[in-house]
Amino acid sequence: DAGITQSPRYKITETGRQVTLMCHQTWSHSYMFWYRQDLGHGLRLIYYSAAADITDKGEVPDGYVVSRSKTENFPLTLESATRSQTSVYFCASSRAITGTEAFFGQGTRLTVV
Amino acid sequence: QKEVEQNSGPLSVPEGAIASLNCTYSDRGSQSFFWYRQYSGKSPELIMSIYSNGDKEDGRFTAQLNKASQYVSLLIRDSQPSDSATYLCAVNTKDNDMRFGAGTRLTVKP
């Protein structure tokens, strides 16, 4: 099916563990984004990518790593999870950065215990 | 100062009334502006996009943009209980990314 999918939908992990959230889109959109959503903060940009092998930091990049070896995939890795990284994570993609909307995945609810 | 600011609400209006949602942004170079709706536990979905000064209407929704005042608004006419959701303002910034406000929670009471 065409679209943008995230996996897993729910994840519980322990403090200090590495965890990777996956994002896959089938539209061949150039731009991809990772946001986290916490109560009172709305969506905060973690990292974004303009194309394969091009990534850039957003508002809250500390503690996260991204890669984009293929246009369709944009995984987000928490190198050593902390409780403050408990959040809902959304991946999004966009055909261009201006003049076009971003489409969101279903979200991943991550709990760090 | 945050790049995109919204009144977090909650905003409560009676059914059939006009709901007015406001957003200000800090980057004067921003070119694209969006309103997303997010139901509880769901992902954001696009309601309106606007790129030039003035009003843009789509059914019961009207987006208004004033670049001189760095202000974007969304009006929802004849509000329905199904419009109850959080509304997110989004702006493309000079860094070529997309930033969101904290969202305004709207409740439409029958």
Side-chain angles (χ1 to χ4, degrees):
Chain A
D1 289 340
I4 181 166
T5 54
Q6 294 182 232
S7 62
R9 292 292 312 278
Y10 303 92
K11 176 74 175 178
I12 299 175
T13 192
E14 294 179 340
T15 301
R17 287 193 180 270
Q18 182 181 85
V19 59
T20 297
L21 310 183
M22 304 301 294
C23 180
H24 175 78
Q25 53 106 354
T26 60
W27 293 303
S28 298
H29 283 170
S30 295
Y31 282 83
M32 296 188 75
F33 309 86
W34 274 107
Y35 294 91
R36 61 177 289 175
Q37 188 170 38
D38 306 288
L39 197 63
H41 291 281
L43 287 163
R44 290 184 290 176
L45 183 65
I46 304 170
Y47 270 95
Y48 66 103
S49 169
D53 298 321
I54 300 175
T55 62
D56 215 338
K57 296 178 180 179
E59 298 173 79
V60 289
D62 293 344
Y64 302 96
V65 174
V66 294
S67 62
R68 194 161 177 213
S69 57
K70 294 183 177 181
T71 300
E72 61 266 30
N73 296 323
F74 191 38
L76 176 73
T77 297
L78 288 66
E79 295 184 296
S80 178
T82 65
R83 288 182 180 161
S84 64
Q85 293 177 308
T86 292
S87 186
V88 178
Y89 291 85
F90 285 102
C91 177
S93 73
S94 176
R95 180 171 49 83
I97 195 57
T98 60
T100 183
E101 68 177 289
F103 294 88
F104 284 81
Q106 322 94 299
T108 295
R109 183 174 293 275
L110 176 68
T111 302
V112 183
V113 297
Chain B
Q1 180 189 8
K2 292 191 69 175
E3 299 234 21
V4 182
E5 299 215 43
Q6 295 180 248
N7 185 335
S8 62
L11 175 65
S12 181
V13 300
E15 184 175 355
I18 295 175
S20 178
L21 306 164
N22 304 314
C23 172
T24 57
Y25 60 94
S26 61
D27 178 12
R28 286 195 170 275
S30 298
Q31 296 294 321
S32 304
F33 308 87
F34 306 89
W35 283 100
Y36 284 80
R37 178 177 62 199
Q38 186 178 25
Y39 292 115
S40 182
K42 302 295 184 182
S43 55
E45 56 180 347
L46 184 73
I47 296 295
M48 293 282 291
S49 59
I50 187 165
Y51 309 114
S52 56
N53 279 331
D55 295 358
K56 179 182 178 182
E57 187 174 318
D58 183 0
R60 296 186 296 111
F61 299 94
T62 299
Q64 300 173 316
L65 174 61
N66 183 327
K67 290 186 178 180
S69 300
Q70 296 174 245
Y71 176 89
V72 191
S73 67
L74 179 70
L75 299 177
I76 306 174
R77 290 181 300 280
D78 188 24
S79 295
Q80 302 297 308
S82 59
D83 294 326
S84 297
T86 296
Y87 289 81
L88 300 163
C89 174
V91 177
N92 286 134
T93 73
K94 64 181 183 300
D95 294 322
N96 281 332
D97 60 21
M98 187 176 290
R99 301 293 177 100
F100 284 77
T104 299
R105 186 155 54 92
L106 172 67
T107 300
V108 181
K109 295 187 175 180

